[in-house]
């Protein structure tokens, strides 16, 4: 039977009918959107007025996130900003390294097993006058158990002396670009990049694939999706071992799992040939709520972690250039084989040097194998300039820009990492749209909290944590931002034919809002209240998940 939902207002993202009062749903799909008297003509139906005082818009699409956040919440939160966990509890932010160590000590005191590791997450020393955290700092928490804290960027980890001992790294002369050494010739405890973080992480509680969630974590991440109005979310760097793939397929198929997950196979540790083969195997296992078969490549690290690759003039504070995560030949082979086999590739590029590598590599690959509608997407792409956006447009590329950086690290970029001029053009949404480049915007949860409406606010206002407008010329409109978190993000995932707007034949995926995002003004976007979601015709009340 058809269910017709009545709402105060329905924002469809369908230009033929941008605003309507009712939407009809059958078997999880939209039958139509329009006036009640028109939709009744479809036949037998029931009228649902539960949302009569609410605003409905297409289910929000988070085009860059990691389901690992659901699991991380069982570790110790060490972030600078207040943050809400999957159960609705707000954890206070920690404003200095002393507060971080105190929270870790409190967690350590609760551990009954004297040998159990102590993992934490979301540390970012750039907020603490960019002072580096050392193994000696974490030794103040414990010298007998391994302690490790993942940075907010996800690209750096700090560990204590015990963890280095267990990993066999507490020795002089370690020759690795991701292992800084102290004056004594020993590692400082800071580890940069997944190739060194992963083996050490196994000793500090990150004993699974560091990028993977577990079963409970995936369910908890689903709760975060409902609270944020998200009905389709990415897991944008998944190794997808057989056991992880089996678990995610099983959990997402549960009747009350509230989101569609698109997991991209992470490139690291495989030859290009093996990566493509595995992605194609995964593609055959896709379901409606678990999309598989796309690929994630990472070119460089984090700007605020000083591991991104920047062109001249480099880092504003004189820090050495960052790390390459992939060789150019490896990237080219992946791109060639992905184009040959019709696989979507998203590439992480934070620094503009990394962006240029991806652009030039794809240009060469397309010269060898011209391909229409490939939708290769640059993720973050934070420092791209106008010339690079022009190149992307000519190559048919998409971008997913990290708008949340304006708020969370805008002041640090202005004063420390890249300096005022480049900070004002970072995450250049206006330039991307003016060049006709399909664009999404994202949170990169857990790097910043999942919340597309907040992300839209960031892109529209470009306000830093200190309250400054940074790069007013790169602001976009409210309508453009709402498009970016619905159809824009869906397009980069090749899902725009299925979702991202409310129109006949598409999934009945809705964000149910208490406030109208088109009427609250540019300042009010971040405060729009989310009642819950409808996903595939199933209703999820955020207060009850």
């Amino acid at each position: 039977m058809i269910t017709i939902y009545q709402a105060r207002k329905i924002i469809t993202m369908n230009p033929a009918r941008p605003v309507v009062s009712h939407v009809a749903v059958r078997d999880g799909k939209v039958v139509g959107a329009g006036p009640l008297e028109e939709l009744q003509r479809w036949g037998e139906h029931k009228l649902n007025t539960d949302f009569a005082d609410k605003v409905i818009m297409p289910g929000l699409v988070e085009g860059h996130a990691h389901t690992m956040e659901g699991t991380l919440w069982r570790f110790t939160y060490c972030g600078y900003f207040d943050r809400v966990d999957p159960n609705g509890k707000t954890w206070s932010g920690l404003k200095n390294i002393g507060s971080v160590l105190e929270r870790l000590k409190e967690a350590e005191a609760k551990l009954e097993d004297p040998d159990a590791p102590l993992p934490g997450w979301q540390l970012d020393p750039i907020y603490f006058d960019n002072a580096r955290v050392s193994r000696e700092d974490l030794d103040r928490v414990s010298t007998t158990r391994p302690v490790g804290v993942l940075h907010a960027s996800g690209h750096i980890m700090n560990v204590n002396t015990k963890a280095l001992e267990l990993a066999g790294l507490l020795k002089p002369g370690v020759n690795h670009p991701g292992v800084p050494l102290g004056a004594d010739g020993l590692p400082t405890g800071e580890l940069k990049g997944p190739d060194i973080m992963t083996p050490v992480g196994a000793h500090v509680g990150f004993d699974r694939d560091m990028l993977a969630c577990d079963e409970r974590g995936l369910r908890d991440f689903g709760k975060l999706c409902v609270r944020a109005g998200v009905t389709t979310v990415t897991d944008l760097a998944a190794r997808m071992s057989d056991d992880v793939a089996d678990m995610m397929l099983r959990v997402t198929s549960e009747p009350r799992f509230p989101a569609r997950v698109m997991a991209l196979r992470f490139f690291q540790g495989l030859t290009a040939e093996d990566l493509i083969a595995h992605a194609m195997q995964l593609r055959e296992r896709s379901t409606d709520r678990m999309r598989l078969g796309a690929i994630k490549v990472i070119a460089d690290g984090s700007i605020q972690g000083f591991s991104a690759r920047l062109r001249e003039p480099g880092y504003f504070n004189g820090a050495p250039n960052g790390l390459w995560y992939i060789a150019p030949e490896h990237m080219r082979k992946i791109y060639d084989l992905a184009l040959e086999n019709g696989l979507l590739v998203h590439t992480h590029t934070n620094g503009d040097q990394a962006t240029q590598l991806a652009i030039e590599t794809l240009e060469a690959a397309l010269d060898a194998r011209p391909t229409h509608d490939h939708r290769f997407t640059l993720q973050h792409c934070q420092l791209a300039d106008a010339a690079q956006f022009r190149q992307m447009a000519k190559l048919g590329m998409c971008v997913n820009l990290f708008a949340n950086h304006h708020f969370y690290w805008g002041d640090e970029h202005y004063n420390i990492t890249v300096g005022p001029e480049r900070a004002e053009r970072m995450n250049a949404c206006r330039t991307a749209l003016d060049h006709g480049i399909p664009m999404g915007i994202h949170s990169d949860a857990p790097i910043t909290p999942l919340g597309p409406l907040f992300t839209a606010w960031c892109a529209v206002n470009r306000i830093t944590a200190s309250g400054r407008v940074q790069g007013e010329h790169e602001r976009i409109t409210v309508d453009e931002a709402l498009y970016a978190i619905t159809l824009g993000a869906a397009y980069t995932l090749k899902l725009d034919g299925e979702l991202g707007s409310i129109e006949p034949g598409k999934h009945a995926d809705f964000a149910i809002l208490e406030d109208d995002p088109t009427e609250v003004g540019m300042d009010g976007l971040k405060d729009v209240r989310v009642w819950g979601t409808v996903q595939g015709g199933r209703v999820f009340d955020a207060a009850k998940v």
Side-chain angles (χ1 to χ4, degrees):
M1 179 185 291
I2 292 173
T3 299
I4 299 178
Y5 291 98
Q6 177 184 345
R8 182 169 98 235
K9 181 178 182 179
I10 300 175
I11 303 165
T12 68
M13 293 296 166
N14 175 6
R17 289 189 170 184
V19 176
V20 299
S21 58
H22 295 75
V23 58
V25 175
R26 181 177 62 201
D27 298 330
K29 297 287 185 70
V30 174
V31 174
L36 177 60
E37 57 270 21
E38 178 183 288
L39 297 177
Q40 287 174 328
R41 296 170 61 189
W42 279 96
E44 186 178 1
H45 66 276
K46 61 180 179 181
L47 180 65
N48 185 310
T49 60
D50 291 347
F51 306 138
D53 63 341
K54 309 222 179 325
V55 174
I56 296 177
M57 69 177 291
L60 306 182
V61 181
E62 175 52 82
H64 190 140
H66 304 272
T67 60
M68 63 186 281
E69 175 167 358
T71 300
L72 289 177
W73 274 110
R74 301 207 299 278
F75 302 158
T76 303
Y77 177 65
C78 300
Y80 184 81
F81 294 92
D82 294 355
R83 191 150 175 171
V84 180
D85 71 16
N87 295 314
K89 176 182 176 179
T90 299
W91 291 79
S92 59
L94 306 174
K95 304 306 183 184
N96 53 63
I97 187 60
S99 298
V100 171
L101 296 178
E102 283 304 311
R103 182 168 288 176
L104 288 168
K105 289 177 183 177
E106 291 171 5
E108 195 273 340
K110 296 176 182 177
L111 294 176
E112 296 180 0
D113 182 349
D115 298 318
L118 176 62
W121 65 290
Q122 208 63 12
L123 173 69
D124 202 333
I126 201 167
Y127 298 125
F128 309 145
D129 297 323
N130 202 35
R132 310 321 293 171
V133 177
S134 69
R135 58 186 170 86
E136 289 85 0
D137 289 323
L138 294 183
D139 285 347
R140 291 161 59 188
V141 177
S142 178
T143 58
T144 59
R145 76 169 76 248
V147 179
V149 186
L150 187 66
H151 280 217
S153 70
H155 290 267
I156 301 174
M157 177 183 287
N158 278 97
V159 300
N160 68 347
T161 300
K162 184 65 175 180
L164 291 173
E165 288 177 352
L166 293 173
L169 288 177
L170 194 66
K171 57 187 179 183
V174 174
N175 184 18
H176 189 287
V179 183
L181 303 180
D184 58 1
L186 297 174
T188 64
E190 185 175 85
L191 307 172
K192 300 181 178 182
D195 58 330
I196 191 65
M197 290 162 52
T198 300
V200 182
H203 297 284
V204 294
F206 295 88
D207 50 356
R208 309 163 292 103
D209 169 8
M210 283 183 61
L211 296 170
C213 63
D214 58 9
E215 186 167 329
R216 175 182 164 188
L218 184 55
R219 292 194 182 94
D220 282 347
F221 192 75
K223 297 178 183 179
L224 294 174
C225 289
V226 175
R227 290 199 175 93
V230 172
T231 55
T232 296
V233 68
T234 50
D235 192 3
L236 213 72
R239 296 185 189 276
M240 297 306 292
S241 60
D242 289 344
D243 59 331
V244 170
D246 291 345
M247 179 275 293
M248 295 185 77
L249 284 161
R250 176 170 47 79
V251 172
T252 55
S253 70
E254 293 171 352
R256 295 302 293 169
F257 186 80
R260 179 178 298 99
V261 179
M262 181 168 175
L264 278 68
R265 183 30 166 119
F266 187 43
F267 82 102
Q268 194 176 46
L270 294 178
T271 65
E273 292 82 359
D274 288 344
L275 174 66
I276 298 299
H278 192 213
M280 293 178 69
Q281 291 171 6
L282 290 168
R283 183 168 62 180
E284 296 302 312
R285 303 188 68 187
S286 283
T287 65
D288 173 42
R289 276 189 251 147
M290 188 71 222
R291 303 301 178 94
L292 300 167
I295 290 169
K296 171 73 176 293
V297 170
I298 298 183
D300 66 343
S302 155
I303 297 173
Q304 72 273 21
F306 303 96
S307 58
R309 292 293 305 191
L310 273 56
R311 297 186 298 187
E312 290 293 337
Y315 284 102
F316 190 51
N317 69 344
N321 212 345
L323 302 175
W324 287 113
Y325 282 25
I326 189 171
E329 299 80 10
H330 192 188
M331 180 184 285
R332 172 63 192 276
K333 190 67 173 178
I334 292 171
Y335 283 10
D336 283 340
L337 292 175
L339 291 172
E340 180 181 336
N341 291 280
L343 297 177
L344 177 63
V345 178
H346 283 219
T347 302
H348 159 125
T349 67
N350 262 318
D352 50 359
Q353 191 178 65
T355 292
Q356 193 61 33
L357 172 64
I359 290 171
E360 293 176 1
T361 303
L362 181 58
E363 182 176 26
L366 288 172
D367 284 344
R369 180 177 289 276
T371 305
H372 299 294
D373 198 29
H374 55 79
R375 303 196 203 181
F376 277 30
T377 298
L378 294 186
Q379 291 281 350
H380 305 326
C381 195
Q382 294 201 73
L383 282 177
D385 62 15
Q388 290 179 318
F389 280 112
R390 286 191 287 271
Q391 290 177 288
M392 291 178 225
K394 291 177 181 178
L395 295 174
M397 302 178 80
C398 305
V399 294
N400 192 357
L401 300 177
F402 202 167
N404 285 21
H405 252 260
H406 304 314
F407 178 79
Y408 286 102
W409 289 283
D411 293 316
E412 285 68 34
H413 291 318
Y414 190 95
N415 293 310
I416 301 173
T417 65
V418 299
E421 186 172 354
R422 286 178 294 172
E424 290 172 355
R425 76 153 198 257
M426 288 181 75
N427 296 293
C429 294
R430 177 80 275 142
T431 298
L433 292 181
D434 286 350
H435 284 87
I437 299 172
M439 183 191 79
I441 51 179
H442 65 268
S443 69
D444 197 7
I447 311 310
T448 70
L450 181 69
L453 289 165
F454 177 83
T455 301
W457 174 86
C458 290
V460 167
N461 291 278
R462 294 182 66 97
I463 293 176
T464 70
S466 68
R468 293 184 307 105
V469 174
Q470 187 156 290
E472 183 174 3
H473 63 289
E474 288 293 351
R475 284 173 161 177
I476 60 176
T477 68
V478 170
D479 286 346
E480 288 169 332
L482 295 179
Y483 188 95
I485 59 175
T486 52
L487 270 174
Y491 185 90
T492 69
L493 303 173
K494 290 193 171 184
L495 295 177
D496 54 305
E498 301 180 47
L499 50 94
S501 61
I502 300 174
E503 51 188 312
K506 287 195 169 184
H507 294 290
D509 293 355
F510 312 138
I512 312 299
L513 310 176
E514 301 283 3
D515 310 297
D516 183 349
T518 67
E519 293 184 358
V520 295
M522 57 190 294
D523 295 334
L525 269 179
K526 65 179 175 60
D527 300 316
V528 169
R529 296 167 295 165
V530 177
W531 178 89
T533 61
V534 175
Q535 205 278 342
R538 302 168 301 141
V539 177
F540 296 92
D541 181 346
K544 298 178 180 178
V545 294

